[in-house]
Amino acid sequence: MTSSSSPSQDAKRLAHAYPEGLRADALMEEDDAWSYEIDGERDGDQFDRSERAALRRVAGLSTELEDVTEVEYRQLRLERVVLVGVWTTGTAQDAENSLAELAALAETAGALVLDGVIQRRDKPDAATYIGSGKARELRDIVLDSGADTVICDGELSPGQLIQLEDVVKVKVIDRTALILDIFAQHAKSREGKAQVALAQMQYMLPRLRGWGQSLSRQMGGGSGGLATRGPGETKIETDRRRIREKMAKMRREIADMKTGREIKRQERRRNKVPSVAIAGYTNAGKSSLLNRLTGAGVLVENALFATLDPTVRRAETPSGRLYTLADTVGFVRHLPHHLVEAFRSTMEEVGDADLILHVVDGSHPNPEEQLAAVREVIRDVGATDVPEIVVINKADAADPLVLQRLLRVEKRSIAVSARTGRGIQQLLALIDNDLPRPSVEIEVLVPYTHGKLVARAHTEGEVISEEHTAEGTLLKVRVHEELAADLAPYAPVSAA
């Protein structure tokens, strides 16, 4: 027999656990006001910050619907929401952490979280997600709080969405739709917008439903007027066909953009430039770490999925070796598979890297769960063979016992703080040590008339020693086979 707890009781318990409500602060550290004087040197220019703080048009006020995507999906204007989750496995604390993360996602999307309830079940109800009785109790909570949206902590089937809406009488969305909405708000590049649009259409296609007379059939056959051969396709069939056509067009555009990204990767591989990818849970501090290591000036904000578009920057190890550092989109538990597929071309930066910096938030209540969620996505994109360094960020705000536990469990790990700079030099030394090294060690005397070879030795190889003599530049370098063949005519060095 399935056991359940009253939503009102769960609300009281969660309110006791989080006195200020299920808000983003339950998972994220207090966000200090960003200022150029304090944070500018670390984070670089933050051009996107002023744009996000500027006046923004409120979506959804217009009554004119441009196309079918706006009819069904609608730009979610989440104002006052109630959260509901189903606890099937794990502990009560795990369930509360999951709902707290959902609250952080809702606030990132611009919602005000009014209440949150959890129900204990063996599995979600096939009809209404939480069962018909609990759905009616949820409706009472919605009426009492004045909410206009219910967000479910899971991916609901089209039938569950419709039937739960029929009971609670307000808009119902699930975790997947919420994440897609956040991605749509934060995507800036042409590729990012196209990937989000494709994921939205993939999610929306099976959830289309008729509105009023939109299920009526079009007239089919004949030349019009009264002489017809019968009903044609329904309006919803027309909508589905149009969405499939848009999806096909979007896939072609993303494939073309993927080609450009692949050409850039091939150029880096041709020049033998090692690559490092920063991967990790959303809001773990990936952009802050990139800014600290390279001064990239990427937007840093205490919000989930603040940055989506990948950023690649050139960096240099303490020994002078050049490499590229790529910041990738953040991950989250139960990341919608539509997004994984749509962002596959972007996530290939992780699969093609020589080293992964797996960033985890050391101040999170359950960092091990973050590690597991990110590694699941890394497996999905086929990057399990890439060496990994676990970077435990926010060490200045983390519990020392948690840091010790993570450092003991994760053998290749280091604790750092992108905010204060703690551990950054040790991290750079680890990167220098773990990047692939050229295979051939050679000593040559390069004439000054062939300075390009010396420059290539610096950019493509690892210079062990360098001395300028009367005959030319005396080099002892470790290089790849191709460059070794070009340097071979200048070896061995004659005794001088």
Side-chain angles (χ1 to χ4, degrees):
M1 180 176 179
T2 303
S3 62
S4 62
S5 58
S6 168
S8 58
Q9 293 176 351
D10 287 319
K12 293 178 180 178
R13 175 161 53 83
L14 290 174
H16 178 72
Y18 303 107
E20 298 182 2
L22 280 177
R23 303 177 62 83
D25 294 340
L27 277 187
M28 300 185 294
E29 61 184 13
E30 188 69 24
D31 188 21
D32 296 328
W34 191 95
S35 66
Y36 186 82
E37 291 78 8
I38 299 175
D39 304 305
E41 183 178 351
R42 179 187 72 247
D43 292 333
D45 294 324
Q46 300 282 290
F47 299 115
D48 287 345
R49 181 174 296 277
S50 57
E51 179 183 339
R52 289 195 182 180
L55 290 176
R56 304 174 68 181
R57 182 176 61 83
V58 178
L61 294 184
S62 172
T63 58
E64 181 180 359
L65 298 174
E66 296 180 1
D67 55 28
V68 65
T69 59
E70 286 193 18
V71 172
E72 174 58 27
Y73 183 75
R74 290 177 274 178
Q75 291 183 338
L76 300 177
R77 198 162 45 86
L78 305 178
E79 300 263 342
R80 301 165 64 82
V81 302
V82 171
L83 311 179
V84 56
V86 172
W87 168 23
T88 57
T89 59
T91 65
Q93 185 62 45
D94 293 336
E96 292 177 5
N97 287 341
S98 180
L99 208 64
E101 182 177 87
L102 186 67
L105 289 168
E107 288 202 342
T108 301
L112 174 63
V113 179
L114 302 178
D115 208 344
V117 294
I118 301 172
Q119 188 198 7
R120 184 72 168 96
R121 295 180 65 95
D122 292 336
K123 62 180 180 180
D125 182 67
T128 59
Y129 184 64
I130 55 175
S132 57
K134 295 302 178 185
R136 287 191 291 270
E137 291 184 36
L138 178 62
R139 180 187 177 184
D140 295 337
I141 294 177
V142 170
L143 290 174
D144 292 340
S145 61
D148 53 33
T149 305
V150 170
I151 306 179
C152 298
D153 191 15
E155 184 168 342
L156 273 61
S157 68
Q160 287 174 322
L161 280 172
I162 294 172
Q163 295 188 56
L164 190 55
E165 274 189 355
D166 289 342
V167 177
V168 298
K169 305 302 181 183
V170 295
K171 177 69 178 178
V172 176
I173 65 171
D174 58 15
R175 183 187 181 94
T176 300
L178 179 61
I179 293 176
L180 287 173
D181 185 68
I182 296 171
F183 271 60
Q185 290 181 38
H186 292 177
K188 293 296 182 78
S189 68
R190 178 168 169 259
E191 183 177 11
K193 291 178 180 178
Q195 290 167 329
V196 173
L198 177 60
Q200 286 177 323
M201 286 185 284
Q202 286 176 319
Y203 170 81
M204 178 177 54
L205 184 61
R207 291 169 174 80
L208 280 181
R209 55 184 185 268
W211 296 82
Q213 295 296 317
S214 62
L215 282 176
S216 61
R217 290 186 178 273
Q218 300 177 0
M219 306 302 282
S223 57
L226 299 177
T228 63
R229 289 179 292 180
E233 66 180 349
T234 62
K235 180 64 167 61
I236 197 169
E237 289 170 345
T238 305
D239 295 344
R240 286 173 178 157
R241 174 168 49 79
R242 290 179 59 191
I243 290 178
R244 290 191 184 99
E245 290 172 353
K246 283 188 176 183
M247 289 171 60
K249 179 182 178 182
M250 203 68 68
R251 287 192 179 99
R252 289 193 296 269
E253 291 180 358
I254 292 175
D256 292 340
M257 290 182 276
K258 177 184 176 182
T259 302
R261 187 178 294 279
E262 179 61 28
I263 289 174
K264 293 179 182 178
R265 281 200 291 260
Q266 289 177 356
E267 182 69 15
R268 293 197 294 265
R269 286 195 291 264
R270 188 179 67 81
N271 292 328
K272 311 297 183 184
V273 179
S275 61
V276 178
I278 302 177
Y281 213 76
T282 180
N283 205 43
K286 299 183 300 300
S287 297
S288 297
L289 185 64
L290 178 69
N291 289 340
R292 172 65 72 173
L293 293 175
T294 67
V298 177
L299 173 72
V300 173
E301 192 170 10
N302 191 22
L304 307 186
F305 300 115
T307 51
L308 297 180
D309 301 319
T311 304
V312 180
R313 290 291 183 268
R314 178 174 171 174
E316 187 174 327
T317 65
S319 63
R321 301 172 62 198
L322 295 177
Y323 65 98
T324 60
L325 197 61
D327 182 19
T328 60
V329 62
F331 303 142
V332 72
R333 287 186 313 105
H334 310 305
L335 189 68
H337 64 276
H338 310 295
L339 281 174
V340 176
E341 289 300 320
F343 277 77
R344 186 168 293 275
S345 61
T346 302
M347 293 177 180
E348 285 175 358
E349 293 286 353
V350 177
D352 289 342
D354 296 300
L355 179 65
I356 296 176
L357 298 185
H358 184 166
V359 183
V360 61
D361 182 358
S363 63
H364 189 271
N366 193 348
E368 289 87 355
E369 191 174 273
Q370 287 193 352
L371 287 167
V374 174
R375 283 169 176 159
E376 182 179 347
V377 180
I378 289 177
R379 283 194 299 271
D380 289 342
V381 298
T384 53
D385 296 333
V386 182
E388 173 192 70
I389 296 177
V390 176
V391 182
I392 308 168
N393 194 25
K394 304 183 184 179
D396 54 321
D399 185 343
L401 295 178
V402 174
L403 289 180
Q404 293 177 13
R405 185 179 75 235
L406 289 173
L407 292 171
R408 182 174 65 253
V409 173
E410 300 293 336
K411 301 304 180 186
R412 291 169 49 81
S413 60
I414 182 173
V416 305
S417 173
R419 179 183 291 272
T420 65
R422 168 185 168 183
I424 296 298
Q425 292 303 318
Q426 292 85 340
L427 175 60
L428 288 171
L430 277 177
I431 294 173
D432 195 358
N433 184 67
D434 287 7
L435 283 178
R437 295 183 176 276
S439 56
V440 180
E441 185 175 316
I442 187 172
E443 188 172 357
V444 293
L445 181 62
V446 182
Y448 291 119
T449 55
H450 293 74
K452 287 185 177 180
L453 285 176
V454 178
R456 285 183 61 191
H458 279 276
T459 56
E460 301 177 23
E462 182 179 352
V463 177
I464 301 174
S465 64
E466 181 179 14
E467 181 183 350
H468 298 287
T469 67
E471 293 80 14
T473 304
L474 179 62
L475 284 176
K476 185 176 183 181
V477 293
R478 189 178 289 112
V479 294
H480 298 283
E481 294 181 358
E482 182 180 346
L483 182 54
D486 294 338
L487 291 171
Y490 307 102
V493 180
S494 57

